[in-house]
Amino acid sequence: MRLLLPSSGADDFSVFRLDGKRAVVFFWALLIGLTLLRLALAARLGVTPDEAYYWLWSQHPQPGYLDHPPMVALWIRLGTMLFGNDPLGIRFCGPVSALIGSAALFWAGRDLLGSRAAGYRAALLLNATLMLGLGAATATPDTPLVFFLAWTLWALGRLVRTGQPIWWLVIGVFFGLAFDSKYTAVLPAFGCGLWALATPSIRRHWLWLSGGCVTGLLTIAPVLFWNATHQWASFAKQGGRAGDWHPLRALNFLLELAGGQLGLATPLIFVLFCIGLVWCLRRASDDVVARLLACLCIIPVAVFVQHAFGGRVQANWPVVLYPAAALAAAATGRRIGLACALGLILTGLVTVQGIFSPLKLSAHHDVIARQTADWSGLTARMRAALPEDEALVAGDYALAAVIAYHDPAHALFSYDKRWAYLGRVLQHPHKAMLILRESERPDLPASWLGPIENRRFCRMLRGTPMICYKLIPLALPDNVQMYRLP
């Protein structure tokens, strides 16, 4: 049942002209070095608004949230228990999971593709993408998603290698944990089901297949329960865009989708991913593993292409197929040295820029600084300028979250209804200021707004204003209530 690779030495690690023990030492030394770099980046960068939002989730553990399942909150809770509520604590589980997940992908490649070299290639390809190279240093749902998908592939490798159908129970658990990380995990799960139905040697173990479905459902039962008791709000939010249809803009959305993958995967690795998928599709009728990898990739690809006919596909959504795509690219036996070197160099350059800022980029061009820099300074300057009893009101959930993270001691309110799903209480802000970007117009009734304050508060980058905010006094009717944070 193994995939027959193009001829290559069983343990040849030709990327760097190494073989045998030297290849093993080099490979793991490289992964440990990347992990240390990611931890350094995680500790150095300020917390982003989305990370602050997920951190607030971690302060209120529950089986589900409006935007995503709970895994990212659990990971942040674990990291902050170990290292406190600082950037390293919030992000700690990401770099460590990338290292452990890389081991799982290596073992999956060894079992599915029939050689240790294939496992090395797959793990190295995945680590050379910006998605894992930089994404693992941040706290997002994509990191646990990729981690559990790597372990799902390991369990599938065990199933193929041993022929023991009991592995379906483990496969179900790991697919469930991936779903508990991000809902897009359902796409490769459907692909795996399609593979099982299309493969007679797998299909005949229908009882174990059913057992795998049961273990998967048990693993996601808390998320289903939370949604069932909250009007299926999270499913409705994530699936509500499926019916959009704007075919005249499809070409633009498809080009954005391709461009996003060229950036996240890095150009040469993206090309190798595409070659690997085509290579597996051409062999899917005769080879069980090629069929598996093709099914795991083609379902997400089809869904994202279809979605592009109705709306924008965010660049990070397709990362759900990256682990399987890395295996498919490794299966071709093509040389990956140049692609991995380019990806690792790009990752290293961005990491060095994030840690040390050797290039004094402007705020417009410094993407990392726009997300991470001087949130604490902005919050401190605003709080110092306001009376102790005056609360801030932020309509934007991300802005509210990052202010709440940096200033948990003072009252903050938001009128975004998503806070109701986090159990925030409603109160009347007696004395409050609305904060919003200078370029934004308030979305509250004009009768509630006072004159715009002359004071201007900016996030600073090397002494230069980066993004500025304005304050507007509020005179709220007595019956108006907003969600109290944190």
Side-chain angles (χ1 to χ4, degrees), residues 167-181:
W167 283 101
W168 277 112
L169 303 183
V170 182
I171 293 165
V173 170
F174 281 127
F175 265 133
L177 291 171
F179 182 89
D180 291 341
S181 304

Side-chain angles (χ1 to χ4, degrees), residues 2 25 89 111 187 195 223 232 236 297 302 305-306 308 328 362 409 420 432 469:
R2 290 190 307 177
V25 172
D111 289 342
L187 302 178
W195 169 70
V223 178
W232 305 100
C297 292
V305 169
Q306 182 276 330
S362 67
Y469 297 83

Side-chain angles (χ1 to χ4, degrees), residues 196-464:
L197 293 174
T199 307
S201 61
I202 299 295
R203 190 173 61 239
R204 69 169 180 260
H205 299 299
W206 61 269
L207 188 59
W208 288 106
L209 274 167
S210 302
C213 293
V214 171
T215 58
L217 287 172
L218 289 174
T219 308
I220 69 174
V223 178
L224 297 178
F225 174 79
W226 185 90
N227 272 274
T229 55
H230 290 81
Q231 298 80 47
W232 305 100
S234 189
F235 289 168
K237 183 179 187 299
Q238 296 298 340
R241 294 165 290 202
D244 293 344
W245 183 247
H246 304 290
L248 295 179
R249 301 184 63 188
L251 179 60
N252 184 48
F253 290 144
L254 288 169
L255 290 174
E256 286 185 8
L257 172 60
Q261 300 322 296
L262 285 168
L264 272 187
T266 70
L268 296 181
I269 293 179
F270 176 66
V271 171
L272 288 175
F273 282 178
C274 294
I275 292 173
L277 177 55
V278 173
W279 195 89
C280 288
L281 285 170
R282 293 178 62 184
R283 289 159 178 78
S285 60
D286 301 321
D287 192 286
V288 65
V289 177
R291 188 181 311 133
L292 170 62
L293 296 177
C295 288
L296 291 174
C297 292
I298 202 64
I299 297 295
V301 169
V303 169
F304 294 135
V305 169
Q306 182 276 330
H307 185 91
F309 280 81
R312 180 171 287 107
V313 178
Q314 299 299 324
N316 64 309
W317 292 358
V319 302
V320 70
L321 58 87
Y322 276 29
L327 287 173
T332 66
R334 291 175 176 268
R335 291 186 177 275
I336 64 170
L338 182 60
C340 289
L342 176 62
L344 291 171
I345 289 171
L346 289 174
T347 299
L349 291 174
V350 177
T351 301
V352 169
Q353 176 65 23
I355 296 175
F356 301 107
S357 300
L359 300 177
K360 307 306 178 184
L361 301 176
S362 67
H364 178 73
H365 294 98
D366 197 330
V367 178
I368 295 177
R370 289 178 68 85
Q371 284 291 313
T372 63
D374 199 38
W375 284 110
S376 59
L378 171 72
T379 305
R381 288 188 290 274
M382 282 192 302
R383 179 46 58 190
L386 295 176
E388 187 69 20
D389 62 342
E390 193 156 37
L392 284 172
V393 172
D396 177 65
Y397 79 92
L399 179 60
V402 77
I403 293 175
Y405 169 75
H406 286 292
D407 186 25
H410 292 92
L412 174 71
F413 291 84
S414 179
Y415 47 91
D416 190 318
K417 293 183 178 180
R418 74 181 63 218
W419 297 111
Y421 296 98
L422 201 61
R424 296 297 80 210
V425 297
L426 284 167
Q427 292 183 8
H428 175 72
H430 294 285
K431 187 179 181 183
M433 287 275 192
L434 176 66
I435 175 175
L436 67 167
R437 281 196 186 191
E438 277 190 322
S439 58
E440 286 185 271
R441 298 180 62 183
D443 55 357
L444 295 176
S447 59
W448 297 2
L449 307 177
I452 298 177
E453 292 272 320
N454 291 327
R455 291 174 294 181
R456 182 173 180 249
F457 299 91
C458 299
R459 291 170 56 210
M460 308 297 289
L461 180 63
R462 293 183 288 275
T464 303

Side-chain angles (χ1 to χ4, degrees), residues 31 33-43 95 98-99 127 132-134 136-137:
L31 289 189
L34 288 172
T35 302
L36 294 176
L37 272 178
R38 290 163 185 156
L39 286 170
L41 184 64
L99 175 63
N127 275 273
L132 196 69
L134 298 179

